[in-house]
């Protein structure tokens, strides 16, 4: 069963139908058609609960049959060109023998497609070292809402000048085009050491992660996981800096580190998670923001302090009443907005959707976002209504 076939509804609404084109040409024809519906592209289907329901009749657009090319790897250039439906795991399996990897680790990488990862700007623990998905991009091919293919960037690090359309498309939730393929930079595997420091208070764990940063330990991973009423700091550092890291984070190479890492990566996106929120916050405010979230007794919490991020999730048995959660989220959004941060509800019960906006108030740049949507998809053919401000 495909990802689209397995999807019964999207944010509480059922699709009119499912399109499953078997070629790029057939995909172009479907996208260009004028049938009055908006299309919701589906790759791995791991992030479809993000955002609003479509604001009109919609169809799911299964991409796997139309965008199923091979992984083209250039080890000497340290680049890879991939179809949008390739999963993160598939890409890394294809290039591993060369000693290189694509340092992206979204939740469930065996299912998460590169197209969905780029469209949503999803990141994981490796963001600490390697940044956001857009930071690895060299080029993209996009299918516009009129059925035409357009390209930005290229296949190598050095490129021509011009408008950086890739940054515009990345993180736009597929509202400006359907990603067809992407060219990305990859990184060599380096020798690393994994360290776990358990039994900490939250403030202690945050202070320790910051100390590792200030000591120039260059961590690949610096995540903090809540375990019962204590916190665990996960560090992955270059082997050459392991001794230095242990002076500021005196932990051990815990045998269960890999399992803790998977917890940090996948928390909030399991079958039992009913509510998942993601905060972007200045590092200096993360402790205070976390304390506010903790007042709602989440089932799981992940702090990513060097990236200024936090994720919290609630399973059905721990879900707080909306009347209790809403004022906490409103207060957090006001505080975060003043500091340039944000709070996004990445999944929530459908019954909450009439009372709370998953994105919050539109940003100051919203007028520009509206103009871009009007310029690139005036008829609302792609994901209409799902993004920030109902774009």
């Amino acid at each position: 069963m495909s990802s689209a076939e397995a999807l019964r509804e999207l944010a509480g609404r059922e699709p009119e139908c499912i399109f499953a084109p078997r070629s790029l040409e057939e995909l172009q024809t479907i996208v260009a058609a004028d049938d009055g519906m908006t299309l919701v592209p589906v790759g791995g289907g791991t992030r479809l609960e993000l955002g609003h329901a479509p604001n009109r009749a919609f169809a799911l657009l299964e991409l796997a049959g139309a965008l199923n090319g091979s992984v083209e790897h250039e080890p000497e250039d340290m680049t890879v060109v991939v179809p949008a439906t390739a999963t993160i795991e598939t890409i890394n399996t294809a290039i591993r023998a060369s000693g290189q990897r694509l340092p992206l680790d979204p939740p469930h990488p065996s299912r998460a497609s590169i197209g969905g990862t780029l469209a949503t700007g999803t990141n994981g623990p490796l963001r600490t070292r390697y940044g956001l998905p857009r930071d690895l991009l060299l080029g993209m091919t996009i299918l516009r809402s009129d059925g035409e293919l357009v390209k930005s960037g290229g296949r190598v690090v050095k490129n021509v000048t011009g408008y950086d359309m890739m940054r515009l498309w990345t993180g736009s939730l597929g509202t400006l085009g359907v990603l067809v393929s992407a060219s990305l930079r990859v990184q060599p595997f380096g020798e690393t050491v994994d360290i776990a420091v358990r039994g900490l208070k939250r403030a202690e764990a945050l202070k320790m992660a910051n100390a590792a940063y200030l000591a120039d330990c260059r961590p690949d991973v610096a995540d903090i996981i809540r375990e019962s009423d204590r916190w665990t700091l996960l560090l992955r550092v270059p082997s050459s800096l392991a001794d230095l890291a242990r002076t500021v984070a005196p932990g051990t190479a815990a045998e269960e580190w890999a399992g803790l890492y998977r917890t940090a990566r996948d928390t909030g996106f399991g079958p039992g998670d009913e509510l998942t929120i993601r905060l972007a916050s200045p590092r200096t405010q993360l402790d205070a923001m976390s304390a506010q979230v903790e007042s709602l007794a989440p089932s799981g919490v992940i702090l990513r302090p060097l990236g200024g991020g936090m994720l919290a999730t609630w399973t059905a048995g721990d879900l707080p009443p909306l009347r209790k959660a809403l004022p906490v989220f409103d207060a957090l959004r006001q505080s975060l907005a003043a500091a340039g941060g944000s709070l996004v509800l990445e999944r929530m019960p459908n019954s909450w959707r009439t009372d709370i906006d998953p994105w919050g108030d539109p940003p100051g740049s919203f007028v520009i976002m509206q103009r871009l949507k009007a310029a690139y998809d005036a008829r609302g053919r792609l994901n209409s209504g799902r993004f920030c401000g109902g774009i």
Side-chain angles (χ1 to χ4, degrees), residues 223-245:
D223 275 18
I224 300 169
I225 303 175
R226 194 195 66 189
E227 295 186 284
S228 298
D229 61 343
R230 288 305 213 180
W231 298 77
T232 295
L233 171 64
L234 294 183
L235 286 177
R236 172 172 286 169
V237 300
S239 296
S240 60
L241 297 172
D243 290 341
L244 174 62

Side-chain angles (χ1 to χ4, degrees), residues 44-175:
T46 60
R47 302 303 311 277
L48 286 169
E49 294 191 52
L50 177 62
H52 299 284
N55 60 10
R56 66 181 73 173
F58 71 97
L60 301 177
L61 182 60
E62 175 64 69
L63 300 175
L67 307 176
N68 54 6
S70 60
V71 174
E72 301 175 24
H73 181 212
E74 295 291 344
E76 293 183 0
D77 292 333
M78 296 179 59
T79 63
V80 66
V81 179
V82 295
T85 55
T87 67
I88 304 301
E89 184 176 275
T90 296
I91 297 168
N92 277 318
T93 298
I95 69 176
R96 185 172 294 127
S98 69
Q100 297 176 0
R101 63 172 174 167
L102 177 65
L104 291 175
D105 56 350
H108 306 296
S110 63
R111 293 168 43 214
S113 68
I114 186 64
T117 300
L118 292 169
T120 58
T122 303
N123 59 77
L126 288 175
R127 179 192 173 171
T128 297
R129 175 72 180 273
Y130 296 102
L132 295 168
R134 69 187 186 191
D135 298 319
L136 300 173
L137 267 173
L138 297 173
M140 297 174 78
T141 299
I142 289 286
L143 177 60
R144 291 191 321 213
S145 62
D146 60 1
E148 293 296 319
L149 292 171
V150 294
K151 297 182 179 181
S152 179
R155 299 169 64 108
V156 295
V157 175
K158 290 185 178 180
N159 245 310
V160 296
T161 58
Y163 293 113
D164 190 352
M165 298 297 294
M166 297 181 294
R167 300 289 179 126
L168 177 63
W169 292 326
T170 304
S172 64
L173 202 68
T175 56

Side-chain angles (χ1 to χ4, degrees), residues 172-227:
S172 64
L173 202 68
T175 56
L176 301 177
V178 179
L179 177 62
V180 172
S181 65
S183 174
L184 305 113
R185 70 183 80 224
V186 295
Q187 297 290 335
F189 277 106
E191 292 187 9
T192 57
V193 169
D194 297 334
I195 299 171
V197 189
R198 310 189 87 156
L200 301 170
K201 296 179 180 179
R202 183 179 60 239
E204 290 175 331
L206 288 166
K207 183 178 180 180
M208 201 171 286
N210 193 51
Y213 169 72
L214 293 175
D216 198 23
C217 293
R218 304 174 211 169
D220 284 18
V221 173
D223 275 18
I224 300 169
I225 303 175
R226 194 195 66 189
E227 295 186 284

Side-chain angles (χ1 to χ4, degrees), residues 265-306:
R265 184 192 67 194
D266 296 342
T267 288
F269 298 94
D273 293 308
E274 291 284 320
L275 170 66
T276 299
I277 66 171
R278 187 179 298 274
L279 287 80
S281 168
R283 191 162 66 241
T284 54
Q285 296 190 18
L286 203 52
D287 190 29
M289 298 300 170
S290 179
Q292 288 182 264
V293 172
E294 287 279 312
S295 71
L296 297 175
S299 308
V301 181
I302 307 297
L303 304 179
R304 202 155 287 148
L306 303 189

Side-chain angles (χ1 to χ4, degrees), residues 305-360:
L306 303 189
M310 172 184 178
L311 184 142
T313 191
W314 290 258
T315 59
D318 294 332
L319 189 68
L322 177 61
R323 67 179 182 278
K324 183 177 180 181
L326 191 56
V328 174
F329 292 163
D330 285 344
L332 281 166
R333 279 176 163 165
Q334 290 180 18
S335 298
L336 288 166
S342 62
L343 183 156
V344 174
L345 279 74
E346 302 216 318
R347 57 169 55 181
M348 68 173 120
N350 290 330
S351 60
W352 288 29
R353 290 184 175 275
T354 56
D355 296 291
I356 188 166
D357 191 303
W359 304 103

